[in-house]
mmCIF file of all heavy atoms in Angstrom:
data_model
loop_
_atom_site.group_PDB
_atom_site.id
_atom_site.type_symbol
_atom_site.label_atom_id
_atom_site.label_comp_id
_atom_site.label_asym_id
_atom_site.label_seq_id
_atom_site.Cartn_x
_atom_site.Cartn_y
_atom_site.Cartn_z
ATOM 1 N N LEU C 1 -4.771 -4.282 10.706
ATOM 2 C CA LEU C 1 -4.473 -3.497 9.516
ATOM 3 C C LEU C 1 -3.006 -3.081 9.553
ATOM 4 O O LEU C 1 -2.557 -2.426 10.504
ATOM 5 C CB LEU C 1 -5.372 -2.259 9.453
ATOM 6 C CG LEU C 1 -5.054 -1.180 8.413
ATOM 7 C CD1 LEU C 1 -5.076 -1.753 7.009
ATOM 8 C CD2 LEU C 1 -6.037 -0.023 8.525
ATOM 9 N N VAL C 2 -2.260 -3.475 8.530
ATOM 10 C CA VAL C 2 -0.851 -3.107 8.404
ATOM 11 C C VAL C 2 -0.698 -2.281 7.139
ATOM 12 O O VAL C 2 -1.136 -2.701 6.065
ATOM 13 C CB VAL C 2 0.053 -4.352 8.327
ATOM 14 C CG1 VAL C 2 1.505 -3.950 8.104
ATOM 15 C CG2 VAL C 2 -0.074 -5.189 9.592
ATOM 16 N N ALA C 3 -0.087 -1.112 7.255
ATOM 17 C CA ALA C 3 0.096 -0.237 6.091
ATOM 18 C C ALA C 3 1.492 0.363 6.112
ATOM 19 O O ALA C 3 2.092 0.526 7.178
ATOM 20 C CB ALA C 3 -0.954 0.870 6.083
ATOM 21 N N GLY C 4 1.975 0.693 4.930
ATOM 22 C CA GLY C 4 3.268 1.358 4.863
ATOM 23 C C GLY C 4 3.241 2.664 5.622
ATOM 24 O O GLY C 4 4.162 2.983 6.375
ATOM 25 N N GLN C 5 2.178 3.428 5.426
ATOM 26 C CA GLN C 5 1.946 4.662 6.171
ATOM 27 C C GLN C 5 0.526 4.661 6.714
ATOM 28 O O GLN C 5 -0.386 4.110 6.091
ATOM 29 C CB GLN C 5 2.136 5.886 5.271
ATOM 30 C CG GLN C 5 3.572 6.152 4.847
ATOM 31 C CD GLN C 5 3.681 7.416 4.025
ATOM 32 O OE1 GLN C 5 3.053 7.552 2.977
ATOM 33 N NE2 GLN C 5 4.478 8.361 4.485
ATOM 34 N N VAL C 6 0.338 5.272 7.875
ATOM 35 C CA VAL C 6 -0.981 5.336 8.501
ATOM 36 C C VAL C 6 -1.298 6.779 8.854
ATOM 37 O O VAL C 6 -0.498 7.469 9.502
ATOM 38 C CB VAL C 6 -1.047 4.467 9.780
ATOM 39 C CG1 VAL C 6 -2.371 4.694 10.503
ATOM 40 C CG2 VAL C 6 -0.867 2.993 9.445
ATOM 41 N N SER C 7 -2.454 7.236 8.417
ATOM 42 C CA SER C 7 -3.019 8.505 8.863
ATOM 43 C C SER C 7 -4.380 8.187 9.485
ATOM 44 O O SER C 7 -4.977 7.147 9.199
ATOM 45 C CB SER C 7 -3.190 9.479 7.695
ATOM 46 O OG SER C 7 -1.975 9.672 7.000
ATOM 47 N N ASP C 8 -4.867 9.078 10.349
ATOM 48 C CA ASP C 8 -6.212 8.913 10.929
ATOM 49 C C ASP C 8 -6.340 7.584 11.679
ATOM 50 O O ASP C 8 -7.352 6.885 11.591
ATOM 51 C CB ASP C 8 -7.289 9.003 9.838
ATOM 52 C CG ASP C 8 -7.121 10.222 8.954
ATOM 53 O OD1 ASP C 8 -7.099 11.335 9.495
ATOM 54 O OD2 ASP C 8 -6.996 10.048 7.729
ATOM 55 N N ARG C 9 -5.308 7.231 12.431
ATOM 56 C CA ARG C 9 -5.277 5.932 13.114
ATOM 57 C C ARG C 9 -6.469 5.747 14.056
ATOM 58 O O ARG C 9 -7.074 4.674 14.096
ATOM 59 C CB ARG C 9 -3.967 5.792 13.899
ATOM 60 C CG ARG C 9 -3.779 4.426 14.572
ATOM 61 C CD ARG C 9 -2.400 4.310 15.201
ATOM 62 N NE ARG C 9 -2.191 2.984 15.752
ATOM 63 C CZ ARG C 9 -2.557 2.628 16.964
ATOM 64 N NH1 ARG C 9 -3.174 3.514 17.768
ATOM 65 N NH2 ARG C 9 -2.354 1.400 17.402
ATOM 66 N N ASP C 10 -6.813 6.783 14.824
ATOM 67 C CA ASP C 10 -7.919 6.658 15.776
ATOM 68 C C ASP C 10 -9.231 6.351 15.063
ATOM 69 O O ASP C 10 -10.038 5.540 15.539
ATOM 70 C CB ASP C 10 -8.060 7.936 16.606
ATOM 71 C CG ASP C 10 -6.913 8.104 17.609
ATOM 72 O OD1 ASP C 10 -6.207 7.105 17.868
ATOM 73 O OD2 ASP C 10 -6.730 9.230 18.114
ATOM 74 N N ALA C 11 -9.448 6.992 13.905
ATOM 75 C CA ALA C 11 -10.677 6.740 13.149
ATOM 76 C C ALA C 11 -10.711 5.300 12.641
ATOM 77 O O ALA C 11 -11.775 4.660 12.616
ATOM 78 C CB ALA C 11 -10.780 7.715 11.981
ATOM 79 N N LEU C 12 -9.571 4.768 12.239
ATOM 80 C CA LEU C 12 -9.497 3.387 11.765
ATOM 81 C C LEU C 12 -9.789 2.415 12.897
ATOM 82 O O LEU C 12 -10.490 1.408 12.709
ATOM 83 C CB LEU C 12 -8.123 3.115 11.157
ATOM 84 C CG LEU C 12 -7.805 3.893 9.869
ATOM 85 C CD1 LEU C 12 -6.319 3.792 9.528
ATOM 86 C CD2 LEU C 12 -8.652 3.379 8.706
ATOM 87 N N LEU C 13 -9.279 2.712 14.082
ATOM 88 C CA LEU C 13 -9.573 1.855 15.232
ATOM 89 C C LEU C 13 -11.057 1.922 15.608
ATOM 90 O O LEU C 13 -11.673 0.901 15.913
ATOM 91 C CB LEU C 13 -8.700 2.263 16.420
ATOM 92 C CG LEU C 13 -7.212 1.899 16.314
ATOM 93 C CD1 LEU C 13 -6.416 2.596 17.409
ATOM 94 C CD2 LEU C 13 -7.016 0.382 16.396
ATOM 95 N N ARG C 14 -11.618 3.122 15.551
ATOM 96 C CA ARG C 14 -13.059 3.262 15.861
ATOM 97 C C ARG C 14 -13.916 2.517 14.850
ATOM 98 O O ARG C 14 -15.020 2.063 15.170
ATOM 99 C CB ARG C 14 -13.452 4.745 15.894
ATOM 100 C CG ARG C 14 -12.953 5.498 17.106
ATOM 101 C CD ARG C 14 -13.680 6.829 17.264
ATOM 102 N NE ARG C 14 -13.474 7.709 16.114
ATOM 103 C CZ ARG C 14 -12.472 8.574 16.001
ATOM 104 N NH1 ARG C 14 -11.573 8.675 16.969
ATOM 105 N NH2 ARG C 14 -12.370 9.344 14.931
ATOM 106 N N ALA C 15 -13.418 2.376 13.640
ATOM 107 C CA ALA C 15 -14.177 1.669 12.599
ATOM 108 C C ALA C 15 -14.248 0.172 12.874
ATOM 109 O O ALA C 15 -15.080 -0.520 12.281
ATOM 110 C CB ALA C 15 -13.545 1.911 11.232
ATOM 111 N N GLY C 16 -13.372 -0.332 13.746
ATOM 112 C CA GLY C 16 -13.476 -1.742 14.126
ATOM 113 C C GLY C 16 -12.222 -2.569 13.992
ATOM 114 O O GLY C 16 -12.213 -3.746 14.370
ATOM 115 N N PHE C 17 -11.145 -1.986 13.467
ATOM 116 C CA PHE C 17 -9.893 -2.745 13.415
ATOM 117 C C PHE C 17 -9.353 -2.932 14.828
ATOM 118 O O PHE C 17 -9.379 -2.003 15.640
ATOM 119 C CB PHE C 17 -8.852 -2.013 12.556
ATOM 120 C CG PHE C 17 -9.188 -1.965 11.096
ATOM 121 C CD1 PHE C 17 -9.671 -0.805 10.502
ATOM 122 C CD2 PHE C 17 -9.032 -3.094 10.302
ATOM 123 C CE1 PHE C 17 -9.989 -0.762 9.159
ATOM 124 C CE2 PHE C 17 -9.350 -3.061 8.944
ATOM 125 C CZ PHE C 17 -9.828 -1.891 8.376
ATOM 126 N N ASP C 18 -8.864 -4.118 15.125
ATOM 127 C CA ASP C 18 -8.319 -4.383 16.454
ATOM 128 C C ASP C 18 -6.894 -3.859 16.592
ATOM 129 O O ASP C 18 -6.463 -3.495 17.691
ATOM 130 C CB ASP C 18 -8.340 -5.895 16.726
ATOM 131 C CG ASP C 18 -9.760 -6.437 16.761
ATOM 132 O OD1 ASP C 18 -10.462 -6.185 17.743
ATOM 133 O OD2 ASP C 18 -10.163 -7.097 15.777
ATOM 134 N N TYR C 19 -6.166 -3.846 15.495
ATOM 135 C CA TYR C 19 -4.800 -3.333 15.468
ATOM 136 C C TYR C 19 -4.629 -2.503 14.195
ATOM 137 O O TYR C 19 -5.103 -2.890 13.124
ATOM 138 C CB TYR C 19 -3.761 -4.465 15.449
ATOM 139 C CG TYR C 19 -3.843 -5.416 16.615
ATOM 140 C CD1 TYR C 19 -4.684 -6.526 16.572
ATOM 141 C CD2 TYR C 19 -3.066 -5.212 17.761
ATOM 142 C CE1 TYR C 19 -4.762 -7.406 17.640
ATOM 143 C CE2 TYR C 19 -3.139 -6.089 18.833
ATOM 144 C CZ TYR C 19 -3.989 -7.180 18.770
ATOM 145 O OH TYR C 19 -4.062 -8.046 19.826
ATOM 146 N N VAL C 20 -3.936 -1.390 14.323
ATOM 147 C CA VAL C 20 -3.551 -0.581 13.161
ATOM 148 C C VAL C 20 -2.060 -0.294 13.316
ATOM 149 O O VAL C 20 -1.644 0.408 14.241
ATOM 150 C CB VAL C 20 -4.347 0.735 13.069
ATOM 151 C CG1 VAL C 20 -3.851 1.574 11.899
ATOM 152 C CG2 VAL C 20 -5.840 0.448 12.923
ATOM 153 N N VAL C 21 -1.249 -0.853 12.435
ATOM 154 C CA VAL C 21 0.205 -0.787 12.589
ATOM 155 C C VAL C 21 0.835 -0.161 11.350
ATOM 156 O O VAL C 21 0.541 -0.571 10.221
ATOM 157 C CB VAL C 21 0.795 -2.200 12.810
ATOM 158 C CG1 VAL C 21 2.313 -2.120 12.960
ATOM 159 C CG2 VAL C 21 0.170 -2.851 14.033
ATOM 160 N N GLU C 22 1.680 0.825 11.551
ATOM 161 C CA GLU C 22 2.450 1.430 10.465
ATOM 162 C C GLU C 22 3.749 0.657 10.305
ATOM 163 O O GLU C 22 4.548 0.555 11.234
ATOM 164 C CB GLU C 22 2.732 2.900 10.760
ATOM 165 C CG GLU C 22 3.422 3.635 9.625
ATOM 166 C CD GLU C 22 3.479 5.131 9.861
ATOM 167 O OE1 GLU C 22 4.320 5.568 10.671
ATOM 168 O OE2 GLU C 22 2.676 5.865 9.247
ATOM 169 N N ALA C 23 3.965 0.120 9.110
ATOM 170 C CA ALA C 23 5.115 -0.743 8.884
ATOM 171 C C ALA C 23 6.417 0.043 8.719
ATOM 172 O O ALA C 23 7.485 -0.437 9.103
ATOM 173 C CB ALA C 23 4.882 -1.605 7.644
ATOM 174 N N THR C 24 6.343 1.243 8.156
ATOM 175 C CA THR C 24 7.551 2.020 7.893
ATOM 176 C C THR C 24 8.082 2.639 9.184
ATOM 177 O O THR C 24 7.349 3.376 9.856
ATOM 178 C CB THR C 24 7.272 3.134 6.869
ATOM 179 O OG1 THR C 24 6.749 2.554 5.676
ATOM 180 C CG2 THR C 24 8.541 3.899 6.543
ATOM 181 N N PRO C 25 9.318 2.366 9.563
ATOM 182 C CA PRO C 25 9.877 2.960 10.787
ATOM 183 C C PRO C 25 9.894 4.483 10.701
ATOM 184 O O PRO C 25 10.082 5.067 9.627
ATOM 185 C CB PRO C 25 11.305 2.396 10.827
ATOM 186 C CG PRO C 25 11.266 1.159 9.993
ATOM 187 C CD PRO C 25 10.266 1.438 8.916
ATOM 188 N N GLU C 26 9.703 5.133 11.841
ATOM 189 C CA GLU C 26 9.708 6.592 11.889
ATOM 190 C C GLU C 26 11.040 7.134 11.373
ATOM 191 O O GLU C 26 12.112 6.659 11.753
ATOM 192 C CB GLU C 26 9.472 7.071 13.321
ATOM 193 C CG GLU C 26 9.317 8.572 13.453
ATOM 194 C CD GLU C 26 8.974 9.005 14.866
ATOM 195 O OE1 GLU C 26 8.760 8.117 15.718
ATOM 196 O OE2 GLU C 26 8.925 10.227 15.104
ATOM 197 N N GLY C 27 10.942 8.113 10.489
ATOM 198 C CA GLY C 27 12.141 8.752 9.967
ATOM 199 C C GLY C 27 12.716 8.112 8.720
ATOM 200 O O GLY C 27 13.624 8.671 8.098
ATOM 201 N N MET C 28 12.210 6.938 8.321
ATOM 202 C CA MET C 28 12.725 6.299 7.115
ATOM 203 C C MET C 28 12.247 7.060 5.882
ATOM 204 O O MET C 28 11.045 7.302 5.728
ATOM 205 C CB MET C 28 12.272 4.840 7.026
ATOM 206 C CG MET C 28 12.726 4.138 5.746
ATOM 207 S SD MET C 28 12.274 2.378 5.676
ATOM 208 C CE MET C 28 13.493 1.663 6.782
ATOM 209 N N PRO C 29 13.152 7.439 4.970
ATOM 210 C CA PRO C 29 12.737 8.148 3.755
ATOM 211 C C PRO C 29 11.779 7.298 2.921
ATOM 212 O O PRO C 29 11.925 6.075 2.849
ATOM 213 C CB PRO C 29 14.061 8.368 3.003
ATOM 214 C CG PRO C 29 15.123 8.247 4.049
ATOM 215 C CD PRO C 29 14.609 7.261 5.047
ATOM 216 N N ILE C 30 10.818 7.949 2.292
ATOM 217 C CA ILE C 30 9.831 7.242 1.471
ATOM 218 C C ILE C 30 10.510 6.473 0.352
ATOM 219 O O ILE C 30 10.112 5.341 0.014
ATOM 220 C CB ILE C 30 8.802 8.233 0.883
ATOM 221 C CG1 ILE C 30 7.961 8.853 1.998
ATOM 222 C CG2 ILE C 30 7.884 7.523 -0.113
ATOM 223 C CD1 ILE C 30 7.140 7.859 2.797
ATOM 224 N N SER C 31 11.552 7.069 -0.234
ATOM 225 C CA SER C 31 12.256 6.400 -1.330
ATOM 226 C C SER C 31 12.828 5.057 -0.879
ATOM 227 O O SER C 31 12.813 4.082 -1.635
ATOM 228 C CB SER C 31 13.373 7.288 -1.865
ATOM 229 O OG SER C 31 14.284 7.636 -0.826
ATOM 230 N N LEU C 32 13.313 4.992 0.354
ATOM 231 C CA LEU C 32 13.841 3.738 0.883
ATOM 232 C C LEU C 32 12.704 2.786 1.246
ATOM 233 O O LEU C 32 12.775 1.579 0.976
ATOM 234 C CB LEU C 32 14.714 4.004 2.108
ATOM 235 C CG LEU C 32 15.308 2.778 2.818
ATOM 236 C CD1 LEU C 32 16.148 1.944 1.850
ATOM 237 C CD2 LEU C 32 16.138 3.206 4.027
ATOM 238 N N ALA C 33 11.643 3.327 1.844
ATOM 239 C CA ALA C 33 10.503 2.492 2.236
ATOM 240 C C ALA C 33 9.841 1.850 1.026
ATOM 241 O O ALA C 33 9.257 0.762 1.133
ATOM 242 C CB ALA C 33 9.482 3.325 3.004
ATOM 243 N N MET C 34 9.916 2.510 -0.144
ATOM 244 C CA MET C 34 9.307 1.983 -1.365
ATOM 245 C C MET C 34 10.181 0.942 -2.058
ATOM 246 O O MET C 34 9.740 0.312 -3.020
ATOM 247 C CB MET C 34 9.026 3.137 -2.335
ATOM 248 C CG MET C 34 7.915 4.080 -1.891
ATOM 249 S SD MET C 34 6.276 3.345 -2.062
ATOM 250 C CE MET C 34 6.093 3.409 -3.842
ATOM 251 N N ASP C 35 11.403 0.764 -1.602
ATOM 252 C CA ASP C 35 12.246 -0.296 -2.145
ATOM 253 C C ASP C 35 11.620 -1.642 -1.794
ATOM 254 O O ASP C 35 11.316 -1.898 -0.620
ATOM 255 C CB ASP C 35 13.647 -0.204 -1.544
ATOM 256 C CG ASP C 35 14.515 -1.380 -1.945
ATOM 257 O OD1 ASP C 35 14.913 -1.459 -3.110
ATOM 258 O OD2 ASP C 35 14.768 -2.236 -1.061
ATOM 259 N N PRO C 36 11.381 -2.521 -2.765
ATOM 260 C CA PRO C 36 10.675 -3.780 -2.478
ATOM 261 C C PRO C 36 11.290 -4.614 -1.355
ATOM 262 O O PRO C 36 10.558 -5.145 -0.504
ATOM 263 C CB PRO C 36 10.720 -4.517 -3.826
ATOM 264 C CG PRO C 36 10.774 -3.423 -4.840
ATOM 265 C CD PRO C 36 11.618 -2.352 -4.220
ATOM 266 N N ALA C 37 12.614 -4.742 -1.338
ATOM 267 C CA ALA C 37 13.257 -5.546 -0.293
ATOM 268 C C ALA C 37 13.033 -4.926 1.078
ATOM 269 O O ALA C 37 12.759 -5.634 2.065
ATOM 270 C CB ALA C 37 14.748 -5.686 -0.583
ATOM 271 N N THR C 38 13.128 -3.587 1.153
ATOM 272 C CA THR C 38 12.897 -2.902 2.425
ATOM 273 C C THR C 38 11.445 -3.037 2.857
ATOM 274 O O THR C 38 11.147 -3.273 4.040
ATOM 275 C CB THR C 38 13.263 -1.407 2.295
ATOM 276 O OG1 THR C 38 14.619 -1.296 1.863
ATOM 277 C CG2 THR C 38 13.101 -0.692 3.616
ATOM 278 N N ALA C 39 10.541 -2.889 1.911
ATOM 279 C CA ALA C 39 9.114 -3.009 2.230
ATOM 280 C C ALA C 39 8.784 -4.397 2.763
ATOM 281 O O ALA C 39 8.008 -4.543 3.721
ATOM 282 C CB ALA C 39 8.273 -2.701 0.989
ATOM 283 N N ARG C 40 9.358 -5.421 2.147
ATOM 284 C CA ARG C 40 9.117 -6.790 2.643
ATOM 285 C C ARG C 40 9.573 -6.935 4.088
ATOM 286 O O ARG C 40 8.869 -7.524 4.925
ATOM 287 C CB ARG C 40 9.849 -7.803 1.760
ATOM 288 C CG ARG C 40 9.265 -7.985 0.365
ATOM 289 C CD ARG C 40 9.950 -9.127 -0.354
ATOM 290 N NE ARG C 40 9.461 -9.290 -1.707
ATOM 291 C CZ ARG C 40 10.033 -8.748 -2.775
ATOM 292 N NH1 ARG C 40 11.140 -8.010 -2.637
ATOM 293 N NH2 ARG C 40 9.524 -8.937 -3.979
ATOM 294 N N GLU C 41 10.741 -6.413 4.393
ATOM 295 C CA GLU C 41 11.279 -6.528 5.751
ATOM 296 C C GLU C 41 10.431 -5.739 6.735
ATOM 297 O O GLU C 41 10.163 -6.194 7.855
ATOM 298 C CB GLU C 41 12.729 -6.046 5.780
ATOM 299 C CG GLU C 41 13.443 -6.303 7.099
ATOM 300 C CD GLU C 41 13.557 -7.775 7.450
ATOM 301 O OE1 GLU C 41 13.539 -8.632 6.523
ATOM 302 O OE2 GLU C 41 13.661 -8.081 8.659
#
């Protein structure tokens, strides 16, 4: 599971996902993360 933002990661893993990865780097502003080119990268 790859998401722009992740909350409740432990619950998602317990549900059966093998990996839960937050795509947005820590500290990146949401406005920048929502830019399509940035999101793709």
Side-chain angles (χ1 to χ4, degrees):
L1 170 58
V2 176
Q5 290 183 302
V6 173
S7 305
D8 310 304
R9 184 174 184 274
D10 289 344
L12 294 167
L13 288 169
R14 287 195 299 271
F17 292 104
D18 296 286
Y19 302 87
V20 177
V21 180
E22 185 171 77
T24 303
E26 186 175 355
M28 177 177 283
I30 294 298
S31 57
L32 178 57
M34 291 287 287
D35 173 71
T38 303
R40 289 187 183 94
E41 188 62 25

